[in-house]
Amino acid sequence: MFKTRLISGIVLVAAALALIMTGAEVLLGAACVISLIGMYELYRVYKMERTVAAFAGYAAAVLFYADLYVSWIPDPMMFVIGLLIILLAIYVLAYPKYHASQITAAFFGVFYVAVMLSCIYRTRMMEKGAYIVWLIFLCSWGCDTCAYCAGVTLGKHKMSPVLSPKKSVEGAIGGLVGTFALTALYAFVFRTQMEVTGIQILMLAAIATVGGVISMIGDLAASAIKRNYEIKDYGTLIPGHGGILDRFDSVIFTAPVIYYLAEYLL
């Protein structure tokens, strides 16, 4: 299992490197496809992945990504309200085919997966985004790795004994310290390309540390949904890791946090 997980992890990192370095339309298209797969996995939890309501969610995600490229929706609230009206219309016209929770899940899935993951692309397209975008992964996958190492060696106090018994307070602290150190090192190495000062390097490390806290919430939130519906993994697409949502649960939360913090603080 460890070997399979390691190989999958290496392939995943290599794919992320290739897509993010390429950027532009390639990254936009990849983010859209990944979002659709993640939405499918989430909708499958609610037993509605191939329903009309689900396809309305998929179509909304594609429309959202298309708008990131061509900007044809004048007001974002038009998208939100329009999607809600369409889903409620499906709910009413097909009644009693859907449970209210399924319509809620269809609406939720678009924003939880597609909209939040799109911030990877939005961050990449910022000025200096080619470098800032890696903060998303440093404070999600980097934090997770550091937390695992710290938890295995030092973990004694359970952080969330009911929801995630293997996670410890010591692991969480180690994850955050590791995130700060990794980001500071990363920013220092690329300080010339990023044109940042010493203070800005510390600011980037602080931003990533905040993202690390949020990444833990994202991880636990995804686990909570699985606990509610008594499933082990969201899917089997990534050997040793599970589905898209199993591997990107923390990235989903950190992407918008890094995007907006970088947008307004740097």
Side-chain angles (χ1 to χ4, degrees):
M1 176 61 76
F2 176 76
K3 183 179 179 181
T4 301
R5 185 179 178 87
L6 178 62
I7 294 173
S8 296
I10 292 172
V11 171
L12 200 60
V13 170
L17 277 168
L19 289 171
I20 291 173
M21 289 176 68
T22 303
E25 293 87 353
V26 175
L27 178 58
L28 180 67
C32 182
V33 171
I34 291 171
S35 294
L36 290 173
I37 297 172
M39 289 172 64
Y40 180 87
E41 292 175 351
L42 181 66
Y43 290 164
R44 186 166 53 194
V45 173
Y46 293 89
K47 296 180 172 54
M48 54 165 291
E49 69 276 13
R50 296 183 182 178
T51 63
V52 174
F55 280 101
Y58 303 144
V62 172
L63 176 63
F64 176 81
Y65 275 93
D67 182 66
L68 286 179
Y69 188 64
V70 298
S71 299
W72 57 24
I73 301 176
D75 182 355
M77 286 306 296
M78 290 176 60
F79 174 78
V80 177
I81 295 170
L83 174 60
L84 181 59
I85 290 174
I86 289 171
L87 288 173
L88 288 176
I90 293 172
Y91 178 49
V92 170
L93 294 174
Y95 192 85
K97 179 178 180 179
Y98 298 99
H99 190 277
S101 63
Q102 293 177 309
I103 298 300
T104 302
F107 186 75
F108 168 69
V110 175
F111 297 94
Y112 172 56
V113 184
V115 174
M116 293 178 77
L117 267 181
S118 74
C119 288
I120 296 175
Y121 168 78
R122 298 176 73 182
T123 304
R124 174 64 178 82
M125 301 309 292
M126 293 171 60
E127 184 181 358
K128 303 176 186 175
Y131 297 97
I132 296 174
V133 69
W134 294 107
L135 268 64
I136 294 172
F137 299 95
L138 282 171
C139 65
S140 52
W141 295 348
C143 182
D144 185 53
T145 301
C146 292
Y148 174 80
C149 294
V152 168
T153 56
L154 303 171
K156 292 182 179 179
H157 302 87
K158 301 297 183 183
M159 184 172 71
S160 182
V162 176
L163 182 56
S164 189
K166 294 183 179 179
K167 287 183 170 57
S168 65
V169 174
E170 293 81 4
I173 294 172
L176 296 179
V177 172
T179 299
F180 186 93
L182 286 173
T183 306
L185 177 62
Y186 168 79
F188 178 77
V189 170
F190 292 101
R191 63 191 182 283
T192 303
Q193 294 88 335
M194 297 176 71
E195 300 177 352
V196 292
T197 64
I199 295 297
Q200 288 174 317
I201 289 175
L202 292 176
M203 184 177 292
L204 285 170
I207 287 173
T209 303
V210 172
V213 174
I214 302 300
S215 77
M216 294 179 191
I217 296 174
D219 184 27
L220 290 171
S223 296
I225 294 174
K226 289 190 288 187
R227 290 273 184 178
N228 281 164
Y229 288 88
E230 299 180 347
I231 60 173
K232 182 179 183 296
D233 294 315
Y234 283 102
T236 57
L237 182 64
I238 308 172
H241 293 269
I244 288 294
L245 292 184
D246 295 295
R247 183 65 277 180
F248 285 82
D249 49 7
S250 56
V251 174
I252 285 172
F253 271 59
T254 56
V257 171
I258 295 301
Y259 171 71
Y260 285 109
L261 286 178
E263 179 78 9
Y264 292 106
L265 294 180
L266 296 180

